[in-house]
Structures are given as structure tokens and as C-alpha cells.
Amino acid sequence: MAQKDLRTLIRLHKWALDDKQRKLGQLLRFEAALYNRKDLIARQYAEEERVANENQTAALTFGAYVEWYIAERDRVIQAIEENKLEILKVRDEILDAFQELKTFEITQENRDKREKEELERKMGAVLDEIGLNLYRRKKSEEAELQKKPASSS
């Protein structure tokens, strides 16, 4: 029976699939944070540029800010690209894990169905045997009843 039951293996694969889905959720949240960071530094850049255009003193440090902005923007873009690759990898892992889980679930369902059919077949055979025995007993009793009145006369 232990060899035929895949329920423990199914639970294990469900847990692994859930773990991969949690990891994907974390990656998607990280991706959103990176896009938010990219938007934030773009807005900060626009503000710094506006201030530098209005104030000569601020304009003196704007060059250094532009260098920092370009480096930070490139770092964020690189992180977004790396994160996208990781997301694709995890999605593939999820797909594989789901297919494997479904294979085990379908196999277990088929085994359960065959087991149920076998049990129903055995129960049918037992009920047929009971019915046949009852029929034989009834015929035997009827035959005895027919013999008794005939021998009494």
C-alpha cells in the first residue's frame, strides 16, 4: 500500500511549488521597488536640474550630481535586467514543478480510481455470492416443503 500511495510525495511537491511561488512574489516585489527607485532618481534629477538652472551655486555641483545620477541609473537598470532573468528562471521552475505535481496527482487519482473499481468488483462478487447462497437456501427450503406434504399423504 505504501508504494501505491503518492500523497506524501504530492504534499512535498506542493510545498516546493509554494516555495517557488513565494520566491517569485519576492522577485516581483523587488522588481517593483527597482522601478520605483528608477522613477525616484529621475524625479530627483529633474529637480536638481531645475535648481541648477535657477541657482549658480547649485550649478557648480550639478556636474558631480550628473555623474552620480548616471552611475545610479545604470546600476538600477542592471539590477532590473538581472532580476528579470531571475524571474524568468523561477517561472520556468514553477512550470516544471507544477507539471511534475500534476503528474503525481493524476497518477494518484488513477490509482485511487482503480482501487475503488477493484473494491466495487470484490463487493459485487461478495454480494453475488450472498445472493446465490440465499437463492440456493430458498430453493432447498421450498424443495423440503414440497417433500413433506407429499410424504404425509
Side-chain angles (χ1 to χ4, degrees), residues 15-26:
W15 179 84
L17 179 61
D18 289 344
D19 190 47
K20 289 177 189 327
Q21 288 172 331
R22 278 188 292 278
K23 183 177 180 181
L24 178 61
Q26 291 172 343

Side-chain angles (χ1 to χ4, degrees), residues 26-86:
Q26 291 172 343
L27 289 170
L28 291 172
R29 285 187 294 281
F30 182 59
E31 181 181 44
L34 288 171
Y35 277 112
N36 288 339
R37 174 75 177 149
K38 183 180 173 188
D39 292 343
L40 174 67
I41 63 173
R43 286 192 307 272
Q44 287 175 341
Y45 177 81
E47 179 62 22
E48 289 290 329
E49 186 177 37
R50 184 188 63 76
V51 169
N53 287 334
E54 294 174 0
N55 185 336
Q56 285 294 27
T57 308
L60 295 174
T61 60
F62 187 66
Y65 179 80
V66 169
E67 288 178 20
W68 173 86
Y69 167 74
I70 291 171
E72 182 68 10
R73 184 194 64 199
D74 291 346
R75 189 182 68 76
V76 170
I77 289 171
Q78 179 66 30
I80 289 171
E81 293 304 315
E82 289 172 1
N83 194 60
K84 282 184 178 183
L85 293 175
E86 186 68 20

Side-chain angles (χ1 to χ4, degrees), residues 2-23:
Q3 292 177 342
K4 291 185 178 182
D5 197 357
L6 299 174
R7 286 177 182 83
T8 303
L9 197 54
I10 289 170
R11 270 194 314 274
L12 178 66
H13 277 79
K14 280 183 181 179
W15 179 84
L17 179 61
D18 289 344
D19 190 47
K20 289 177 189 327
Q21 288 172 331
R22 278 188 292 278
K23 183 177 180 181

Side-chain angles (χ1 to χ4, degrees), residues 47 59 89 92 141:
E47 179 62 22
K89 178 183 162 195
D92 286 343
E141 289 172 358

